[in-house]
Amino acid sequence: MDGADGSQHFSDELPSREQSPSLLTIILDTNPAAWALIDSVLPISNAVANLLVFINAHLACNYTNQVAVIASHCDKAHWLYPTASVQKPRQERQHSSRDLSQDDDDDEVPTNRNKRVKLNVNGTSATQDGPTMSETESNKYRPYRLIEEELVRNLRSLTSSTSPATIQETSSTKVAGALTLALSYINRRSQEYQESSTGISASLADQAVATATDSSNSSSNVLQSRILIITLSPSTDLAHQYIPIMNSIFACQRLNIPIDVLQLPLLPSDPKQKHPEPVTTTTDISNTPTQTSTVFLQQASDATHGIFILAHLTPPPPQSSASTPDPPPTTRIATNSMLTYLLTSFLSAPSTRHHLITPTRIDVDFRAACFCHRNIIPTGYVCSICLSIFCDQSLEALDREGCLTCGTELSVRGQGVGSMGRTPVVVAAKKKKRKKGGVSGVGTPRAETPV
Amino acid sequence: MSRRRVDARDGADNDAAGDREDDARGQETNFEVTRTWDDLEEVDGNLAVTAISEAEKRRRLLKDTTPLQRGIIRHLILLLDMSDAMGEKDLRPTRFQVTLNFTIAFIREYFEQNPISQLGIIAMRNGVAEPISDMSGNPTEHIKAVSRQKAAEPHGQPSLENALDLARAALFHAPSHGTREILLVMGALHSVDPGDVHRTIDALVADKIHASVIGLAAQVAICHELVSKTNNGDTSGYNIIMHEGHLRELMMAVTTPPATLEQAKSASSLLMMGFPSRTVDTQPSLCACHSRPSREGYLCSRCGTKVCGLPSECPACSLTLILSTHLARSYHHLFPLVNWVEVPWSSANRSSECFACQRLFPEVPSREQWHDKDSHETSSSRYECTTCHSHFCIECDLFAHEVVHNCPGCQSGLATAGLMGEVEMEDGHLNGYDGNAMGVES
């Protein structure tokens, strides 16, 4: 009866048929040292252009999709899009506060809140840093243009404000900071979406629990978010940020946010290199390309059910036709490889991924590194107080000095199953009662001294 | 009734009993009286709700963040009351249903916060103790068992002695390097016991088991005694709920690893653990834990048997098998994030939006409006991290302290991070965790 009069249309859950909005957060590694190494194959300007095309594609998939971009620089993590004004350091702000209060009544001076991008109809830009592209691209779709302008402007100011000294100080990037910023932003957006759609303001963790226990699996009133990390820096430098990265990974796991990683290789990859076959025994890390890829980020995408791809940036083959001249070898750049990776693997929203076969790595190395020698060990000794891992080469030192991290006295020769190398206790032999003196009986045989 | 029995049995305890009586009376008169109607503010004829909700959120956050030594490897027995008293409807729909729902959330949270720990569940029903699920490290098993109980009705009388005896037996095999804990959720006001419950409590003390109790109705003397004896006189483990939200809060508070007391420090030992790596075969083989065929699994580092999930114990050689991420999950208890302080209006003009999420802050009003009529300073909605001095909104404050355990400002390079993530100011002053560097060459 319901089907005949069409009332089913109203009783069914409509939102489950529409695709819910998806928030894509991109963390772009802008370490200048690393980009300089890869400059011959993929300059950063091309990479940013590819990224913008990818962002446009993501926004085109669904009218309500959102995007955010964070730069993970060598010494800080910085918002690229969306940005409002930047927090000024303490001393400067106190001087300018008086000026602001005077300008409050003045409508013509755009305050910081209103200084978002104005429509540049006349070609006069609302912001004063550098020329904008508005004159030539007034026919571009407005949302795309806004994002492009803001992103490029912020990136330019970020790179121009970096001094060579800061680049030399460290060769890693602040991935942990960028992840934390991304998570805070996702938290804010999810709460706003939740409030606007259902009117209930619940914290993100509560929402995640609610969707986990919800059997009907309708995620229509929860914003689906994911994080995409585009990274270049070598892996060893991230060891300093181990705990903050782990904390971010666990937060993402809890909130069902997949972390996708696109790793651009620093050394130009050999196109003849075969893709590694799946290993059936324990991984030998000296041979596989995991040596150059980031172990933490691999673990991150594995733990959060994301996609990890180590890109092979092969330059396009030389054109041999007569119409286009042969480009000289030095200008061969892998213009479109990155875009291909982005569009084919990373464009799908989390809810769609259930229906796709996503590229996954099966040889993720989860073995721990010991804290004393940084060896990768299959079995280790863990301090029960501070949970630091030690290898068996340090057993002597541990017995002497206690735990190397927290200083607790450790009983290496402990009790129970955890005891190893324990010297057996020699039980004193029982002396049997002697009857009528002299005869030793069934006790321990005494060595008879030869008479 | 129980007090008189103590006096009769041990004359020397008379003074102690007397002290306890005074103590109990003193405690009764110390509870807080909340006059919620006084807390409301009016602004322009409308109720100001934001200030109250913010204060509420802040209250949840402020806890002690000194890095204490904590028991990370835990063995916890959850004792649930399933007697007639749990059929009361003061918590909707019944106390029983609410407790079971919160128990499921508790199980999830417990294994998230303590991945290498174990949990067992025992129920008190009809005067006997029924095991709901055995001690294990697998959350789905426990959740399934508890969900099955939802269909059953609470019935009969609770027996504290039987439940404590069963719990003690379950904890007998827990190794000494882990903690042994009991959490009792008690809705009834009495207990029917076959023997002497005090002897059971003494046996618990001898086995070094710590008990904490959440009462749903009122304080019961025997529970008070249980908590105080097993925790060396500290009765902070005994709490009575005020409302449903409070019950959830108290249960979730137990998921945080307990701080180790002075005497327990001597029992630390070095544990041998294996870190297997995942293998995928072309042909399926049986896993050793469930005898189920599968293509992928983890090989024990010592004996090579295949197990399907981690963390677990190798069925052949009893080696604990974990991933390094499981250990990393507990690090935030050992290196907690410092609390952020509220920013007064005088320094509030340094920021116009939250550093982490870019949410706009309310504008700084003129100086007269900085204090409201009671001369309390009104909230500027900005919260500052004492290390990196960046301002955050209340949502980011909650999020960073409860979910992420990282400060966005400190991680974004305004301060340099040490090897274990402890944060230093640029002038070398160490904030937060004050431990020795591990001396690792990276």
Side-chain angles (χ1 to χ4, degrees):
Chain A
M1 186 63 180
D2 284 341
D5 62 0
S7 57
Q8 236 177 11
H9 177 74
F10 298 103
S11 52
D12 273 356
E13 278 190 14
L14 267 186
S16 59
R17 297 209 195 110
E18 294 171 5
Q19 185 160 41
S20 54
S22 150
L23 166 62
L24 169 66
T25 315
I26 301 176
I27 295 176
L28 179 63
D29 178 6
T30 54
N31 188 359
W35 280 107
L37 284 178
I38 208 178
D39 198 56
S40 55
V41 180
L42 181 68
I44 189 171
S45 51
N46 284 64
V48 173
N50 288 347
L51 190 65
L52 284 169
V53 175
F54 173 65
I55 291 176
N56 295 346
H58 169 78
L59 292 175
C61 282
N62 188 338
Y63 180 68
T64 48
N65 275 353
Q66 301 167 24
V67 71
V69 187
I70 301 171
S72 156
H73 209 56
C74 48
D75 62 338
K76 58 180 183 237
H78 195 79
W79 274 103
L80 290 182
Y81 176 80
T83 48
S85 61
V86 182
Q87 275 187 15
K88 294 190 190 163
R90 244 184 273 182
Q91 304 82 8
E92 283 183 34
R93 196 65 179 176
Q94 279 166 3
H95 297 297
S96 58
S97 64
R98 273 180 236 116
D99 302 328
L100 262 190
S101 53
Q102 287 168 8
D103 284 339
D104 259 350
D105 306 336
D106 196 347
D107 286 317
E108 286 174 27
V109 176
T111 60
N112 284 336
R113 286 154 207 261
N114 301 334
K115 206 177 72 168
R116 298 192 179 269
V117 188
K118 282 177 164 179
L119 187 56
N120 295 315
V121 177
N122 301 323
T124 55
S125 58
T127 65
Q128 270 99 35
D129 330 64
T132 60
M133 299 171 279
S134 50
E135 289 95 353
T136 53
E137 298 178 10
S138 50
N139 280 331
K140 201 170 200 176
Y141 184 47
R142 185 166 180 251
Y144 294 170
R145 183 160 58 88
L146 295 177
I147 295 177
E148 183 182 332
E149 285 180 358
E150 195 164 336
L151 205 150
V152 172
R153 184 177 65 234
N154 285 326
L155 189 57
R156 207 173 269 151
S157 68
L158 176 68
T159 47
S160 57
S161 62
T162 317
S163 66
T166 34
I167 302 178
Q168 276 172 10
E169 254 172 39
T170 165
S171 58
S172 72
T173 89
K174 295 281 179 185
V175 170
L179 275 171
T180 317
L181 286 183
L183 282 169
S184 311
Y185 186 75
I186 289 175
N187 180 41
R188 172 191 164 196
R189 278 277 178 237
S190 304
Q191 278 190 325
E192 287 174 2
Y193 182 69
Q194 176 88 338
E195 275 187 40
S196 67
S197 66
T198 59
I200 313 163
S201 70
S203 73
L204 191 55
D206 294 338
Q207 286 176 30
V209 169
T211 46
T213 52
D214 193 2
S215 51
S216 61
N217 222 2
S218 63
S219 48
S220 55
N221 49 358
V222 174
L223 185 69
Q224 295 176 36
S225 358
R226 64 190 198 276
I227 297 180
L228 168 63
I229 304 180
I230 299 174
T231 176
L232 312 152
S233 306
S235 66
T236 52
D237 300 346
L238 291 181
H240 289 276
Q241 304 174 36
Y242 178 61
I243 289 184
I245 292 182
M246 281 294 143
N247 282 338
S248 317
I249 293 174
F250 297 138
C252 287
Q253 237 181 346
R254 199 166 152 182
L255 304 172
N256 294 325
I257 300 176
I259 297 181
D260 303 325
V261 181
L262 177 64
Q263 167 99 22
L264 301 172
L266 280 185
L267 312 164
S269 64
D270 186 4
K272 299 195 197 74
Q273 187 183 28
K274 277 195 298 202
H275 193 74
E277 281 134 24
V279 286
T280 55
T281 53
T282 54
T283 316
D284 183 6
I285 60 167
S286 55
N287 286 341
T288 57
T290 52
Q291 201 177 18
T292 52
S293 52
T294 317
V295 184
F296 296 151
L297 294 183
Q298 270 189 351
Q299 289 183 7
S301 46
D302 188 74
T304 55
H305 306 291
I307 299 172
F308 181 94
I309 291 186
L310 176 62
H312 295 274
L313 292 180
T314 51
Q319 311 274 347
S320 56
S321 60
S323 52
T324 56
D326 231 9
T330 51
T331 59
R332 267 203 254 159
I333 46 184
T335 326
N336 297 322
S337 309
M338 185 175 149
L339 184 60
T340 316
Y341 278 111
L342 288 174
L343 283 180
T344 50
S345 318
F346 295 112
L347 193 54
S348 47
S351 58
T352 328
R353 289 189 190 175
H354 291 299
H355 308 289
L356 301 173
I357 301 176
T358 51
T360 47
R361 290 192 79 99
I362 45 176
D363 54 349
V364 180
D365 194 359
F366 273 112
R367 291 178 299 174
C370 75
F371 283 22
C372 36
H373 309 99
R374 303 308 281 185
N375 301 334
I376 309 279
I377 41 172
T379 50
Y381 302 96
V382 177
C383 167
S384 52
I385 303 297
C386 63
L387 300 184
S388 1
I389 309 169
F390 303 106
C391 58
D392 49 8
Q393 294 171 23
S394 329
L395 268 185
E396 282 301 319
L398 287 172
D399 202 22
R400 233 183 9 245
E401 304 161 20
C403 169
L404 299 177
T405 321
C406 61
T408 339
E409 263 189 41
L410 291 172
S411 52
V412 176
R413 325 272 184 224
Q415 299 110 358
V417 190
S419 69
M420 60 298 282
R422 192 169 60 154
T423 52
V425 176
V426 179
V427 179
K430 263 203 206 154
K431 284 202 167 162
K432 282 282 180 176
K433 262 199 240 174
R434 300 212 199 136
K435 302 178 192 173
K436 299 190 178 127
V439 186
S440 58
V442 234
T444 49
R446 279 185 311 176
E448 303 270 12
T449 54
V451 176
Chain B
M1 172 91 153
S2 58
R3 268 187 243 140
R4 211 177 300 135
R5 288 186 65 179
V6 168
D7 289 343
R9 273 188 329 144
D10 194 350
D13 263 351
N14 262 335
D15 291 332
D19 289 335
R20 250 194 319 103
E21 281 186 36
D22 294 336
D23 214 23
R25 258 185 247 123
Q27 276 185 356
E28 280 160 15
T29 54
N30 278 349
F31 58 87
E32 294 173 6
V33 177
T34 52
R35 299 189 179 89
T36 46
W37 54 90
D38 275 348
D39 291 335
L40 290 179
E41 288 174 15
E42 256 194 57
V43 175
D44 298 333
N46 302 319
L47 290 176
V49 188
T50 49
I52 304 173
S53 60
E54 273 197 30
E56 180 73 25
K57 288 176 188 170
R58 283 289 285 175
R59 200 181 48 79
R60 272 198 266 155
L61 274 190
L62 293 174
K63 32 181 205 257
D64 190 17
T65 53
T66 51
L68 296 167
Q69 206 183 79
R70 293 182 186 270
I72 299 290
I73 301 169
R74 306 171 68 186
H75 303 270
L76 175 72
I77 297 277
L78 181 59
L79 293 177
L80 294 177
D81 184 4
M82 291 192 189
S83 60
D84 278 331
M86 293 298 276
E88 289 286 329
K89 295 192 174 48
D90 56 354
L91 300 174
R92 300 308 174 89
T94 58
R95 280 185 197 169
F96 182 60
Q97 295 292 333
V98 169
T99 309
L100 284 187
N101 288 337
F102 287 163
T103 303
I104 293 179
F106 171 80
I107 294 171
R108 283 212 184 91
E109 182 76 16
Y110 178 78
F111 282 109
E112 254 194 54
Q113 300 290 325
N114 310 281
I116 42 183
S117 310
Q118 298 196 330
L119 178 68
I121 307 182
I122 293 173
M124 301 191 288
R125 183 191 264 137
N126 281 330
V128 293
E130 292 174 11
I132 305 284
S133 67
D134 294 322
M135 283 284 275
S136 87
N138 186 0
T140 38
E141 207 179 288
H142 294 297
I143 292 178
K144 244 191 268 173
V146 173
S147 314
R148 270 201 299 266
Q149 287 297 313
K150 276 194 173 178
E153 282 296 313
H155 194 262
Q157 320 271 354
S159 167
L160 208 53
E161 185 185 340
N162 289 335
L164 288 176
D165 268 335
L166 193 55
R168 195 167 73 91
L171 285 174
F172 184 72
H173 292 287
S176 60
H177 56 76
T179 64
R180 297 172 176 189
E181 303 163 47
I182 289 179
L183 173 64
L184 167 64
V185 178
M186 186 86 173
L189 294 175
H190 67 290
S191 160
V192 290
D193 301 322
D196 189 1
V197 64
H198 298 284
R199 239 181 243 161
T200 312
I201 295 181
D202 291 335
L204 288 179
V205 176
D207 277 352
K208 298 201 185 58
I209 297 176
H210 300 279
S212 59
V213 181
I214 299 178
L216 301 186
Q219 226 185 35
V220 182
I222 188 64
C223 295
H224 188 93
E225 185 179 326
L226 170 67
V227 174
S228 106
K229 273 201 175 159
T230 51
N231 292 312
N232 285 321
D234 174 24
T235 54
S236 62
Y238 188 21
N239 291 298
I240 313 291
I241 63 163
M242 294 189 288
H243 44 84
E244 208 172 292
H246 195 208
L247 171 59
R248 200 203 159 99
E249 235 179 79
L250 288 173
M251 283 188 88
M252 292 309 163
V254 180
T255 59
T256 318
T260 13
L261 310 167
E262 273 301 321
Q263 302 102 317
K265 266 196 193 170
S266 52
S268 46
S269 59
L270 209 53
L271 315 160
M272 185 165 174
M273 293 193 180
F275 302 100
S277 43
R278 187 154 43 174
T279 77
V280 178
D281 286 326
T282 46
Q283 289 162 352
S285 51
L286 297 179
C287 72
C289 34
H290 308 105
S291 298
R292 265 191 269 136
S294 62
R295 282 179 61 226
E296 55 179 27
Y298 299 91
L299 295 182
C300 167
S301 350
R302 196 156 61 174
C303 64
T305 36
K306 188 170 90 162
V307 292
C308 41
L310 294 182
S312 64
E313 206 175 293
C314 173
C317 64
S318 304
L319 179 65
T320 316
L321 298 172
I322 53 172
L323 295 175
S324 51
T325 49
H326 293 133
L327 291 181
R329 222 179 252 279
S330 306
Y331 284 152
H332 72 87
H333 294 299
L334 302 171
F335 307 105
L337 184 61
V338 290
N339 280 326
W340 295 341
V341 291
E342 198 171 318
V343 175
W345 282 119
S346 45
S347 33
N349 50 18
R350 259 205 312 131
S351 63
S352 56
E353 78 280 336
C354 170
F355 181 83
C357 66
Q358 316 260 311
R359 194 193 295 253
L360 295 171
F361 286 140
E363 293 213 14
V364 184
S366 56
R367 201 175 264 268
E368 304 85 54
Q369 294 178 18
W370 283 4
H371 292 72
D372 65 5
K373 53 179 163 36
D374 292 329
S375 74
H376 295 301
E377 186 151 350
T378 52
S379 155
S380 66
S381 302
R382 293 160 170 79
Y383 301 91
E384 180 179 0
C385 167
T386 46
T387 318
C388 59
H389 300 292
S390 22
H391 292 180
F392 302 97
C393 60
I394 184 64
E395 300 295 338
C396 291
D397 194 355
L398 268 177
F399 188 65
H401 282 95
E402 289 190 356
V403 184
V404 190
H405 307 285
N406 285 342
C407 167
C410 301
Q411 291 306 320
S412 302
L414 300 178
T416 59
L419 182 59
M420 290 285 277
E422 70 260 21
V423 179
E424 274 183 24
M425 290 287 288
E426 273 147 9
D427 54 15
H429 167 73
L430 194 68
N431 196 355
Y433 178 62
D434 189 11
N436 302 323
M438 287 186 299
V440 178
E441 319 278 292
S442 64

